[in-house]
Amino acid sequence: MAGGVALLDYDGDGYLDIYAVNGAAIPSLNKEGSEYQNRLYHNNGDGTFTDVTEKAGLGGAGYNIGVAVGDYDNDGWPDIYVVGPTANQLFHNNGNGTFTGVTLKAGVSGGMRNGKKMWSVAAAWVDYNNDGLLDLFVSNYVDWEANHDPVCMTADQQREYCDPTFYKSLPNTLYRNNGDGTFTDVSAATGIAEHLGKGMGVAIADFDGDGYTDIFVGNDESPSFLFHNLDGKKFEEIAQQAGVAVSADGKALSAMGVDFRDVNNDGKPDIWYTALEKETFPLFFYQSDLLFDDVSIRTGIGWATMKMSGWGNGIYDFDNDGWKDLFVARGHVLANPEKILSWSRAQPNSIFRNVGNGKFEDVSATAGADFLEPRVHRCVAFGDLFNDGRIDAVVSSLEGRLQVFRNLTQNQNHWIELKLRGTKSNRMGIGARVKIVGGDGAVQWNHVTTSVGYASSSDSRVHFGLGSNAAKVREIEILWPSGIKQTLRDVQADHVITIEEQTSPGRAQ
């Protein structure tokens, strides 16, 4: 389950760097050698990266699974939070290429249950109460202890890890940012702790447009959670009523990666999450009145993913045609000695192109030979590594090197990327909702988040593909978490622009 990946510009040079987390020796769960260290790779801006882990102080400790990036103290430098079955860790960015561990001071080493630190898988930075400070949501998995697993066997009588149904569920954790470098566990006070699940991926969006960011958690072989933010103080869990807790046939899925953003350009964030073979990767379009519609079958995603096992995923416009596509990092959990159908542990990744008429087509076969290599993939982070307007992907796999997939799509389509800088809102603008009107009149929506997929953290810049007839963006409308609405007009396309809250227009980088 290890292998979270983060893309962040840790040194402010305008290029995305890569942080990859790593596991540890078992059963000690300690990083007993350098091979277990987490790694920070500095983007040199020329297509190469340099390992700067030691200088940065980001080797980490214990068994790490997930990573989340957010500027919790609003100093303009992105900080890093790492989670796993051992103590979670918060690294403060000092702004000089180094980080300092501040976990104990901040009070975010992880939630406790029955005297034990809970096994965390993923985290999301989110300003749930709109006070201008990023809070921290942590998904917790199951009650587990090394060398105390129940006995489970494969079909050929080999000892294997048991599936999640053999383990007890856990509540998730929500930390409120106190604004002084410390956090308070408000899981019980906000209603988060009332609900037990087997939390994996976490994604955020204000899906109902009430001004408060909501949280979706994919649960493994138990119904998933949709925490509806009522007023910045309390959450209600409404996944069952909203129609996103289980599959269309009422089955709880092996939910892993999740993304929560507008797929069909109707201004309403949708939900897409991954699962194992025979379960499909369900896609839910938000309708209204807190109700979603399962469109997996009629969009083509249901049948296409029936024979796949997926982990990390993301909803991004990879060909800049104005429609967001679907990317999934694939790999099964067990070997398949019976060779049922074509399923195997090592699988190639997949990409589904949004053709704009409510349908998707699998274009993986034409994505390149490297893309088609089967591996036991786990995590993926997305961002424009080369600042060329095309979204790239960095993928991890079990017992394998990182893969950096550069997007080489060739067409005449335009694009724009927005780096938001909050003043009254949190500095990274996480939670800000963005509407654009292209030069051709096409309308799109997106929002600022780093929590994408499974246990990973993607670029906080908001990317839009504009198609071939939009060399300018007619209008950009931003609704900041503070409630401030800001509009820019006649913005040149094919640029990364920085937009500061309450300033206009954005200035090109």
Side-chain angles (χ1 to χ4, degrees):
M1 294 176 64
V5 182
L7 296 185
L8 71 160
D9 181 7
Y10 80 94
D11 57 351
D13 66 354
Y15 287 92
L16 289 175
D17 310 295
I18 301 172
Y19 186 60
V21 305
N22 220 331
I26 296 177
S28 72
L29 302 185
N30 292 323
K31 295 187 186 300
E32 296 178 357
S34 60
E35 69 270 26
Y36 294 112
Q37 280 192 330
N38 303 336
R39 297 286 175 179
L40 177 64
Y41 297 100
H42 175 261
N43 188 336
N44 300 320
D46 60 1
T48 68
F49 293 79
T50 300
D51 187 337
V52 295
T53 308
E54 186 173 350
K55 176 187 175 183
L58 285 175
Y63 199 106
N64 307 141
I65 291 180
V67 56
V69 173
D71 182 3
Y72 75 89
D73 57 352
N74 289 332
D75 65 354
W77 299 98
D79 309 299
I80 297 175
Y81 187 61
V82 176
V83 304
T86 52
N88 301 339
Q89 298 154 76
L90 177 61
F91 297 99
H92 176 259
N93 190 332
N94 301 319
N96 60 2
T98 69
F99 290 75
T100 299
V102 294
T103 311
L104 294 180
K105 173 189 174 184
V108 290
S109 59
M112 303 291 292
R113 186 171 176 82
N114 297 327
K116 293 193 303 183
K117 188 266 176 186
M118 291 189 285
W119 175 354
S120 306
V121 167
W125 291 99
V126 53
D127 184 4
Y128 79 92
N129 55 3
N130 292 342
D131 65 354
L133 301 168
L134 285 180
D135 311 297
L136 191 55
F137 183 96
V138 183
S139 69
N140 297 312
Y141 190 47
V142 297
D143 188 357
W144 174 86
E145 190 175 345
N147 278 352
H148 288 81
D149 291 283
V151 176
C152 291
M153 309 296 287
T154 64
D156 56 352
Q157 297 304 302
Q158 298 295 312
R159 181 81 184 268
E160 185 56 271
Y161 284 110
C162 298
D163 72 60
T165 58
F166 285 78
Y167 300 87
K168 294 180 181 179
S169 301
L170 296 175
N172 297 304
T173 305
L174 178 63
Y175 294 105
R176 186 188 67 226
N177 190 334
N178 299 321
D180 59 0
T182 69
F183 292 76
T184 298
D185 187 334
V186 293
S187 311
T190 56
I192 295 294
E194 296 175 15
H195 305 279
L196 303 183
K198 296 169 182 177
M200 299 284 265
V202 182
I204 65 169
D206 177 11
F207 77 93
D208 60 341
D210 65 354
Y212 292 100
T213 304
D214 310 296
I215 302 169
F216 182 83
V217 181
N219 284 319
D220 194 358
E221 295 197 17
S222 59
S224 293
F225 292 150
L226 176 56
F227 291 108
H228 180 224
N229 191 339
L230 297 176
D231 54 6
K233 299 176 183 177
K234 284 278 190 181
F235 289 83
E236 61 174 348
E237 201 290 294
I238 62 167
Q240 204 77 40
Q241 305 95 293
V244 295
V246 296
S247 65
D249 59 2
K251 179 182 177 183
L253 304 178
S254 306
M256 270 88 80
V258 302
D259 203 359
F260 198 171
R261 67 181 80 229
D262 184 15
V263 174
N264 57 346
N265 289 346
D266 67 352
K268 304 169 186 176
D270 309 302
I271 293 174
W272 181 51
Y273 59 93
T274 63
L276 296 181
E277 86 283 333
K278 295 188 288 186
E279 294 181 332
T280 76
F281 307 163
L283 176 62
F284 302 92
F285 283 174
Y286 181 57
Q287 303 300 303
S288 61
D289 300 321
L290 308 183
L291 292 174
F292 289 76
D293 184 18
D294 188 332
V295 298
S296 309
I297 299 301
R298 66 174 177 265
T299 57
I301 287 298
W303 293 117
T305 58
M306 181 68 73
K307 299 180 183 179
M308 299 179 180
S309 291
W311 292 73
N313 65 328
I315 303 171
Y316 287 87
D317 186 354
F318 294 102
D319 57 359
N320 288 334
D321 67 349
W323 295 93
K324 299 179 190 70
D325 312 298
L326 309 178
F327 183 112
V328 56
R330 292 171 51 199
H332 196 37
V333 290
L334 303 174
N336 183 18
E338 294 90 355
K339 302 296 181 186
I340 302 173
L341 298 180
S342 60
W343 302 321
S344 62
R345 193 163 186 247
Q347 299 183 9
N349 297 316
S350 291
I351 187 165
F352 302 95
R353 182 172 181 265
N354 188 338
V355 297
N357 63 355
K359 300 284 187 180
F360 292 85
E361 59 180 10
D362 188 340
V363 295
S364 311
T366 59
D370 292 338
F371 188 82
L372 295 175
E373 179 189 357
R375 290 194 181 193
V376 189
H377 300 103
R378 285 294 180 261
C379 301
V380 54
F382 301 94
D384 185 357
L385 288 168
F386 302 89
N387 290 336
D388 60 4
R390 292 173 290 197
I391 296 297
D392 310 295
V394 180
V395 184
S396 69
S397 56
L398 295 187
E399 300 178 351
R401 297 177 182 272
L402 283 179
Q403 292 173 294
V404 179
F405 289 108
R406 182 171 187 177
N407 187 340
L408 299 176
T409 304
Q410 299 294 323
N411 55 38
Q412 301 302 311
N413 292 340
H414 299 282
W415 56 276
I416 194 165
E417 288 173 8
L418 311 178
K419 181 179 180 180
L420 301 194
R421 182 178 294 158
T423 52
K424 186 176 181 181
S425 301
N426 68 84
R427 182 66 175 263
M428 289 180 71
I430 287 179
R433 290 178 286 163
V434 184
K435 172 188 173 183
I436 71 163
V437 182
D440 58 357
V443 181
Q444 296 181 58
W445 288 262
N446 210 331
H447 61 278
V448 183
T449 181
T450 61
S451 185
V452 179
Y454 168 71
S456 295
S457 191
S458 290
D459 186 4
S460 64
R461 295 178 296 184
V462 183
H463 170 271
F464 291 95
L466 301 173
S468 60
N469 298 316
K472 274 194 173 184
V473 179
R474 186 182 303 175
E475 183 175 282
I476 301 173
E477 181 182 283
I478 303 167
L479 181 59
W480 296 86
S482 64
I484 294 171
K485 185 177 287 188
Q486 185 172 346
T487 304
L488 291 77
R489 294 184 173 86
D490 296 324
V491 180
Q492 188 67 40
D494 304 322
H495 286 87
V496 179
I497 67 168
T498 298
I499 303 173
E500 188 167 289
E501 192 171 11
Q502 289 187 304
T503 61
S504 180
R507 59 178 177 81
Q509 284 189 326

